[in-house]
Amino acid sequence: QVQRALLALAILLEMLQVVKGRMLQAMHKGLSRQTHAQANVRMVPTYICSTPDGTEKGDFLVVELCQSHVRTLWVTLLGDGNQSPQVSYKIFNLPQDIMQGKGEALFDFIAQCLRHFLEGTNSLERRLPLGFVFPFSCRQMALDKAELISWSKGFSCSDVEGKDVVQLLQAAINKQELNHVDVVALMNDTVGTMMTCSTSEQPCEVALVLGEQWAPCVPGWWVLGGLRWCSPSPLPADKGTNSCFMAEAQQVEMVENSSGRMCASTEWGCFGDDGSLSDILTSYDQNVDQESSNPGVKRFEKLVGSLYLGDIVRHVLIALATEKALFIGSNVAVLRTKGVLKTQQVLEIIDNVKGTYEARKALEALGLQPSERDCGRVQQICRAVVSRAAALCAAGLAAILSHMCQSRQLEQLVVSVGVDGELYHSNVRFRDILQNVTGLLAPESVVTLLPSVDGTGRGAAIVTAVALRLVAQRRKVDQVLAPLLLSHGDLERVQALMRREMELGLNQEPNASPSVRMLPTYVCGTPDGTERGEFLALDLGGTNFRVLVVRLTQHGIHMASEIYVTPIAVTQGTGEVLFDHIVRCIMDFQLKQNLMGQVLPLGFTFSFPCQQLGLDKAVLLSWTKGFSASGCVGQDVVQLLREAAQRQQHWGLKVVAVVNDTVGTMMACGYEDPKCEIGLIVGTGTNACYMEEMQNVGTVEGEQGRMCINMEWGAFGDNGCLNDILTDFDRLVDEKTVNPGKQRFEKLISGMYLGEVVRHILLVLVEKQLLFRGKPCPKLQTRNSFPTKFLSTIEIAPGGGACRVMPPPACVMGMLMVPLVWGSDGLALLQVRAILQDLDLQASFEDSMLVQEVCQTVSLRAAQLCAAGLAAVVEKMRENQGLAQLAITVGVDGTLFKLHPYFSQHLQQTLQDLAPNCIVTFRQSEDGSGKGAALVAAVACRGAEP
C-alpha cells in the first residue's frame, strides 16, 4: 500500500516534460490578446521594464497590505549596488471589521498607519515616493494604475473592485495631509523578489515565490490593540506560489506599443484549472481541493504551495491508515481535521538527521502512537510530496526559461532566478530537486538560484527606486533627443522651403542664390516600352567601372556586362591615359560580345560633378572619389571619350547621351512603369530628378514639352535656409567633413553621415551619465567608428513589420505594403550588444535599448526630411498638370532605402501626410546607372527617328 501511494505521487521525467509543454502553451495563451481572457496562466503585465543597475539611491516608503496586518517601511538605498540598504518598519494589526467593511475605511486605515509611522521624522522636508505591495488580482494599466479584479485571502471590502487602488490609496494619504507622499508604483511580492536579487553585475530576470515568505528580523515595532512591542522573530507574510520574468515586451500583447522588456507576472497558481493537470492529480489532491475554500481553482498552487502540502500528506496518511498500513491500533480521527499537519512539520520530517524524531514528535502531538516503521513510512511520504512539489515547480520554471531562450533567439540562456518562500529557504532537498530537474528540463539554460531577502519590503523599495531612476533618465534623454524630433509643422516648412528653392533654381534670377541648382539634363522623354535595339552603356563612378550591352526586345530587357579595374596610376595620371584605358576596355568588351563590327549608341553614366550643356555634352567641374587625372576639369567628358576612341582607332563608338545615376534610375524604372517620372537616390549620397514642364525651365530655351531636371538637392540648405532645424550634432559632423558648410541636406539624410550623427549623440549621453554608466569610450571617440550600416543592423524591426519596397509588386503608399519580418527585440538587441562589444563597450540591456532608440530617431528624421523634399516635387508636378490628384511612380535606388528596415516605410508615411493629394508608388531600381544609361540612349534614338 505504501509503495502504491509513493508511486501515485511520483512523476516521471517524461511526464514533467509534458507538464512543461502545457505550461508553455498556457503562458502563450495568457500573453496573446485574443486568448488572454480565457487563460488560466494570466501573464499579467507589471509595467516594470528594467531591473536595478545598482545606482539607485535615496529614501523610499513602502506600504504592504498583508493577510492580517499592514507593514510600513522606510528604506534608504545608498547607490552601492543595493548591497546594504537601511530598513526600518512598523507592523500594524489589521482588524477583521476593516478587512470586511467599506473600501474607504480600509484605505483610510492604511493611510493612518503611514501617518503614525512617519510621526517624529523629518519627512515633511522633501517629497517621498511610495511603493504599494497589493497581493490581490488586479488589472494593471500602468506602474501606478491598477484596478482590483477580485478580493481573496479573507478580504471583502465593498466598493473597491473595478476601481484604481493606487488612486484610492493616494486619496486616503492626502486626507491625512501627507501631501509630500506620492504613490508611484504598485506591485506584487513576486516582482519584489526579483528586484532584491538583482545586482549591477548579475541582473536577476526571473523570480519564484514558493510558499510562505518571511520578513527579516530587523529593528521595528508591532502595533497590536494600541500596544507597541518589539518583534522578536521574523514576521510571516502571505502563503502561495507565483513566478515572474522579464518578457520581450512586444509579446505581452495586452500592453499597447511596447518595446524592450517588461516583467510579466505569470499568476501560475491557476495553471491546470482548465483540466490540463488532471492526469497527474491523485485522489489525495482531489480531497485537498474539495475541502478547500475554492474547489476547482488554483490547482497548481494546491500541488506545490506551502498552504497545502501538509494536508496532502495528511490525506495520504488517512488512506494508508484505513488500509491498516499505518498506525495500527491508533485512533486516526484527528487526521480528518484540516490543517492539523503543517507544512513546516513536513519539512522538518524529511530531514535526513532528525526526520524520524520530528515525525514521532508531530504524530504523538496529534495523539497517535506511531511505531518506528510508521515514522519511517511517514518520512517517505513527506519526501514524496515535497519532491513532487519541487519537480512541478522545476517544470514551470523550465517553461519560463525555454520561453525566454526562444523569444530572445539564444542558443544558451544565462540567467539568475530569485527565489523566496519557506519551501526554498527551509529545505535543502527541495532546493536540490528544483535546481537539478530544471537543468534536465531546460538544458539550454544556465541557471543560478538566488535566495531573496524581504522581496515584499526591500524589493518594493527597489521597484520604486528603479521607476524614479527611469523617469529621471527618460527626462534627460528626451532633452538630448528633442532637437532631432520634427513636428508636422517643421516638415511643412521644409517642404515649402524646398519648393521656393526649386522655383529659384528653375528661374535663375540674377540676384537669387538658390541652394537647389535644378540643372537641365536635356533628357526630354521617358521610355514608353516601344524602344528596340542594342545599346551600349558605360558606368564610370569609381575605381571600378562597367561596360554593358543592353538588348531591348518585345520580350523585355536582356543585358550582359563586365567590370573593369582602373589602376591608381590611371586615375591619377593624365586625362589621355584615363580615357584611352576606358576605350580599350570598351573594345575588349565588344570583342568578347562579338560587337566589333557594329556601331551601337552608347549611354555614358558619369558620376562626377558636371555642368551639362546638352544631352551629349557635360563639362567636368571637379574630380572626386580619389580621381585626379590631369587635363580633364573644364573639359567636355564626352569629347574626351570621343578623342580617345579616335586615338585607339575605334570608329564604332557613338556616344549619344551622358547622364548621372539619378536620371538613370528614373529611366530604368520608367521602362517597366510609364508613370515613373521621378528618380530618387538615397544611399551614400542623395539626389532627385523629375520631369518638369519646359515652360518653367528658365535656363533652357523652348516652351514645348518637358525635360528631366537634375535637382542636386543634396546642397539644399547651403544658403542657410535650414539653419533652424540643424542641431549641435549636425554642426559637429559638418565641421569634420571635407566640405564644411556644403551639402547640408545630404548630411542630414544620406548614409555617409547618419552614423556620425549617432556617434556624437552617444558621446553626449555618455557624458551625461545616461549611457554605459558614464564610462569613457575611447573607440567611440574615433571619427567614423560608428558607420551607418550599424543603424540598419541595430534597427532590425522588433516584432516584424518593416516594409521594404521590392519589385514586383511595387509598394504603393497608402495601399499594399509588403511586410517582412526581420526578427524580435531579443535578436535585434543581441546585435546591438555585439556591435557595441566590437567598440569595446559592455552594454546593459537598457544601454542597448537606448542606442537603438538613438538610431531610430536619427533615421526617422532622415526619412522625414527626404519625404518633405519629395513632397515639394510631387506637389509641384500635380500643380503643373492642373490635377486634383496625381498618381505617379518614383524610381528609387540607394543602400539606405534598400537595406534599412524602416527608412522606406517612414518615407512613404510622411510623404502621404505631406502630400495627401498624390498617390505615390515607389519602384526599386535595378541597375539605374547601367540599364538606365542605355535607356536614355534608346529614348534619344527613338526621338531622332523620322
Side-chain angles (χ1 to χ4, degrees):
Q1 299 98 318
V2 174
Q3 288 302 319
R4 280 200 304 270
L6 294 174
L7 188 61
L9 291 166
I11 304 178
L12 297 177
L13 188 63
E14 291 78 3
M15 190 63 203
L16 290 172
Q17 288 281 13
V18 172
V19 173
K20 170 193 168 183
R22 292 172 183 170
M23 177 70 84
L24 270 170
Q25 292 176 349
M27 289 168 59
H28 293 155
K29 192 173 181 180
L31 287 169
S32 169
R33 183 185 302 275
Q34 293 180 337
T35 55
H36 177 81
Q38 295 81 41
N40 297 119
V41 180
R42 297 289 304 281
M43 305 299 290
V44 176
T46 66
Y47 294 85
I48 293 168
C49 300
S50 178
T51 54
D53 68 0
T55 64
E56 293 80 13
K57 62 189 304 184
D59 295 322
F60 303 92
L61 294 175
V62 174
V63 167
E64 180 186 3
L65 179 58
C66 302
Q67 200 161 352
S68 59
H69 60 270
V70 172
R71 185 163 68 127
T72 58
L73 301 95
W74 182 299
V75 181
T76 300
L77 301 177
L78 304 175
D80 60 352
N82 302 322
Q83 296 297 314
S84 53
Q86 299 174 358
V87 182
S88 60
Y89 69 89
K90 288 183 181 179
I91 303 293
F92 298 84
N93 184 50
L94 190 59
Q96 189 72 22
D97 60 330
I98 293 289
M99 296 170 60
Q100 298 174 355
K102 292 183 177 180
E104 183 179 6
L106 171 66
F107 287 98
D108 284 346
F109 178 82
I110 296 172
Q112 289 167 11
C113 294
L114 183 62
R115 181 169 58 80
H116 289 310
F117 178 61
L118 293 176
E119 286 176 352
T121 69
N122 58 356
S123 63
L124 292 175
E125 297 177 3
R126 60 192 184 281
R127 302 204 70 81
L128 286 172
L130 182 145
F132 185 22
V133 182
F134 189 74
F136 300 95
S137 180
C138 288
R139 182 181 297 105
Q140 197 154 354
M141 289 81 77
L143 189 57
D144 61 350
K145 185 177 177 64
E147 294 177 355
L148 176 65
I149 295 174
S150 61
W151 287 112
S152 59
K153 306 175 184 178
F155 283 76
S156 59
C157 298
S158 63
D159 205 26
V160 179
E161 292 181 357
K163 293 189 176 179
D164 180 2
V165 294
V166 174
Q167 193 174 44
L168 292 174
L169 178 59
Q170 186 68 66
I173 289 172
N174 293 343
K175 277 200 290 185
Q176 296 297 319
E177 299 184 350
L178 299 175
N179 297 316
H180 61 301
V181 176
D182 301 311
V183 185
V184 301
L186 178 138
M187 72 225 69
N188 63 25
D189 48 6
T190 317
V191 175
T193 294
M194 184 179 75
M195 290 302 209
T196 60
C197 293
S198 271
T199 65
S200 55
E201 291 75 23
Q202 192 176 31
C204 178
E205 297 187 274
V206 186
L208 307 180
V209 170
L210 304 171
E212 193 170 47
Q213 295 170 280
W214 294 84
C217 184
V218 296
W221 294 94
W222 189 311
V223 181
L224 281 173
L227 299 176
R228 295 184 179 184
W229 46 286
C230 184
S231 56
S233 61
L235 301 167
D238 296 317
K239 298 183 179 183
T241 182
N242 195 15
S243 60
C244 69
F245 68 99
M246 296 301 290
E248 303 305 298
Q250 84 275 7
Q251 294 184 349
V252 186
E253 295 181 7
M254 295 305 292
V255 179
E256 298 282 354
N257 302 320
S258 56
S259 61
R261 289 179 186 156
M262 178 180 289
C263 180
S265 177
T266 65
E267 304 298 322
W268 75 2
C270 293
F271 173 47
D273 288 3
D274 57 356
S276 57
L277 294 178
S278 58
D279 50 355
I280 67 169
L281 295 177
T282 67
S283 58
Y284 320 122
D285 303 311
Q286 302 287 16
N287 290 334
V288 169
D289 177 62
Q290 288 303 312
E291 68 182 12
S292 70
S293 61
N294 52 353
V297 299
K298 296 235 174 185
R299 299 313 296 259
F300 190 66
E301 183 167 298
K302 289 170 184 174
L303 292 172
V304 304
S306 64
L307 185 62
Y308 302 98
L309 298 190
D311 282 325
I312 296 174
V313 171
R314 181 174 59 83
H315 278 285
V316 178
L317 299 185
I318 292 172
L320 291 176
T322 302
E323 295 176 349
K324 300 193 182 302
L326 285 178
F327 313 133
I328 298 173
S330 294
N331 183 355
V332 296
V334 66
L335 292 177
R336 301 192 182 279
T337 304
K338 178 182 173 182
V340 295
L341 191 60
K342 308 295 183 184
T343 295
Q344 185 58 39
Q345 292 173 303
V346 171
L347 297 177
E348 292 168 352
I349 290 170
I350 65 177
D351 182 78
N352 288 329
V353 178
K354 300 189 298 180
T356 54
Y357 167 76
E358 295 294 341
R360 180 177 296 278
K361 185 172 72 170
L363 295 170
E364 288 179 348
L366 295 175
L368 301 173
Q369 297 176 345
S371 66
E372 194 68 29
R373 188 183 67 171
D374 289 339
C375 292
R377 288 180 171 179
V378 169
Q379 185 181 51
Q380 283 183 291
I381 292 161
C382 290
R383 284 176 176 169
V385 170
V386 171
S387 297
R388 183 184 67 159
L392 287 171
C393 287
L397 176 57
I400 291 172
L401 299 175
S402 293
H403 173 85
M404 292 173 68
C405 196
Q406 292 164 11
S407 63
R408 299 181 187 184
Q409 300 190 14
L410 300 174
E411 291 184 3
Q412 185 181 67
L413 174 71
V414 180
V415 68
S416 294
V417 179
V419 192
D420 202 355
E422 63 176 323
L423 291 178
Y424 183 81
H425 289 303
S426 303
N427 192 261
V428 175
R429 183 183 185 87
F430 189 98
R431 291 198 295 270
D432 289 344
I433 293 173
L434 178 64
Q435 179 87 57
N436 295 334
V437 176
T438 299
L440 293 171
L441 297 177
E444 74 281 8
S445 302
V446 178
V447 182
T448 302
L449 299 179
L450 301 173
S452 172
V453 178
D454 194 15
T456 55
R458 176 175 137 192
I462 294 174
V463 170
T464 307
V466 169
L468 292 178
R469 172 175 61 80
L470 293 179
V471 168
Q473 288 181 347
R474 182 71 257 169
R475 190 182 304 115
K476 293 176 182 178
V477 169
D478 288 344
Q479 290 172 353
V480 172
L481 297 182
L484 294 145
L485 304 180
L486 300 176
S487 67
H488 186 77
D490 294 330
L491 294 171
E492 285 181 326
R493 285 192 295 275
V494 173
Q495 178 183 354
L497 287 169
M498 178 67 85
R499 177 64 179 270
R500 186 192 73 181
E501 295 293 297
M502 290 171 65
E503 301 287 1
L504 291 173
L506 286 170
N507 295 328
Q508 289 291 303
E509 296 178 2
N511 296 326
S513 57
S515 58
V516 182
R517 297 182 64 188
M518 305 297 286
L519 302 174
T521 66
Y522 298 89
V523 174
C524 297
T526 56
D528 61 8
T530 64
E531 295 79 12
R532 299 289 184 268
E534 290 186 320
F535 303 87
L536 289 176
L538 174 62
D539 177 15
L540 179 64
T543 52
N544 295 334
F545 72 94
R546 291 185 304 154
V547 184
L548 307 89
V549 60
V550 180
R551 298 178 175 90
L552 305 178
T553 70
Q554 63 181 356
H555 302 296
I557 297 180
H558 306 278
M559 295 190 299
S561 65
E562 188 156 344
I563 296 175
Y564 293 90
V565 176
T566 308
I568 294 178
V570 173
T571 62
Q572 298 180 0
T574 66
E576 287 189 2
V577 171
L578 172 62
F579 282 93
D580 284 351
H581 173 72
I582 292 171
V583 170
R584 283 195 297 271
C585 293
I586 294 173
M587 293 170 66
D588 176 75
F589 178 77
Q590 287 186 282
L591 184 64
K592 291 177 179 177
Q593 296 291 326
N594 297 317
L595 298 173
M596 286 301 290
Q598 302 180 46
V599 178
L600 299 179
L602 183 144
F604 186 10
T605 298
F606 189 74
S607 300
F608 298 91
C610 289
Q611 180 182 4
Q612 197 147 354
L613 304 176
L615 184 59
D616 62 348
K617 187 170 185 178
V619 175
L620 177 64
L621 299 176
S622 63
W623 283 118
T624 58
K625 307 174 186 178
F627 280 66
S628 60
S630 61
C632 298
V633 174
Q635 301 298 313
D636 176 7
V637 295
V638 174
Q639 186 59 32
L640 292 175
L641 186 62
R642 287 170 177 161
E643 291 172 358
Q646 290 176 354
R647 286 194 299 273
Q648 299 298 318
Q649 298 182 356
H650 182 44
W651 315 115
L653 195 66
K654 181 183 177 184
V655 184
V656 299
V658 59
V659 299
N660 67 16
D661 52 359
T662 314
V663 177
T665 294
M666 181 187 75
M667 298 298 272
C669 293
Y671 186 79
E672 303 290 339
D673 184 349
K675 290 183 179 180
C676 183
E677 296 186 347
I678 299 174
L680 175 65
I681 301 291
V682 193
T684 306
T686 184
N687 194 17
C689 68
Y690 72 102
M691 297 301 294
E692 178 61 88
E693 306 299 316
M694 280 292 295
Q695 62 188 10
N696 296 331
V697 185
T699 55
V700 177
E701 293 183 1
E703 297 286 324
Q704 300 300 313
R706 299 189 300 164
M707 179 180 288
C708 179
I709 297 297
N710 172 23
M711 294 178 66
E712 293 294 337
W713 78 359
F716 175 41
D718 286 4
N719 57 1
C721 65
L722 293 181
N723 285 355
D724 60 337
I725 68 165
L726 297 179
T727 68
D728 291 339
F729 310 116
D730 301 313
R731 295 183 181 93
L732 287 169
V733 171
D734 179 62
E735 288 170 4
K736 299 298 182 180
T737 60
V738 296
N739 55 350
K742 304 296 183 184
Q743 297 293 105
R744 301 311 294 260
F745 195 55
E746 184 168 86
K747 291 172 184 174
L748 297 172
I749 290 178
S750 74
M752 181 173 285
Y753 304 100
L754 298 189
E756 275 295 279
V757 176
V758 168
R759 184 178 69 85
H760 281 288
I761 297 171
L762 298 183
L763 287 173
V764 169
L765 292 173
V766 172
E767 181 184 347
K768 293 180 177 291
Q769 306 281 313
L770 300 172
L771 190 63
F772 311 134
R773 300 190 191 172
K775 294 179 180 177
C777 309
K779 278 195 176 180
L780 202 58
Q781 297 279 355
T782 306
R783 187 166 174 253
N784 295 323
S785 60
F786 200 96
T788 298
K789 67 179 182 181
F790 285 179
L791 275 71
S792 294
T793 303
I794 286 171
E795 290 187 65
I796 283 180
C803 176
R804 278 177 55 191
V805 184
M806 302 177 66
C811 185
V812 182
M813 185 181 61
M815 298 175 68
L816 175 67
M817 302 287 277
V818 183
L820 296 181
V821 176
W822 287 80
S824 71
D825 260 352
L827 177 61
L829 292 170
L830 275 177
Q831 292 169 327
V832 178
R833 296 178 81 168
I835 287 170
L836 296 176
Q837 283 174 358
D838 287 342
L839 295 172
D840 295 338
L841 299 170
Q842 296 303 313
S844 67
F845 181 85
E846 286 74 20
D847 289 335
S848 300
M849 286 290 297
L850 183 51
V851 171
Q852 189 178 54
E853 181 184 354
V854 172
C855 292
Q856 290 168 344
T857 302
V858 171
S859 64
L860 172 62
R861 183 185 68 155
Q864 290 175 328
L865 288 172
C866 186
L870 202 53
V873 174
V874 296
E875 277 296 304
K876 187 177 192 312
M877 295 181 75
R878 184 183 66 81
E879 293 173 15
N880 285 348
Q881 299 175 41
L883 298 174
Q885 189 174 67
L886 174 71
I888 195 165
T889 298
V890 176
V892 61
D893 203 353
T895 52
L896 188 59
F897 187 91
K898 289 179 177 178
L899 301 181
H900 190 282
Y902 279 135
F903 188 93
S904 61
Q905 182 178 342
H906 292 318
L907 168 62
Q908 292 169 81
Q909 184 58 59
T910 306
L911 180 57
Q912 186 178 37
D913 293 341
L914 296 174
N917 295 320
C918 299
I919 301 175
V920 183
T921 302
F922 286 80
R923 181 172 289 276
Q924 191 169 299
S925 170
E926 294 181 3
D927 194 16
S929 56
K931 181 173 72 175
L935 285 166
V936 172
V939 171
C941 293
R942 185 193 72 198
E945 294 174 355

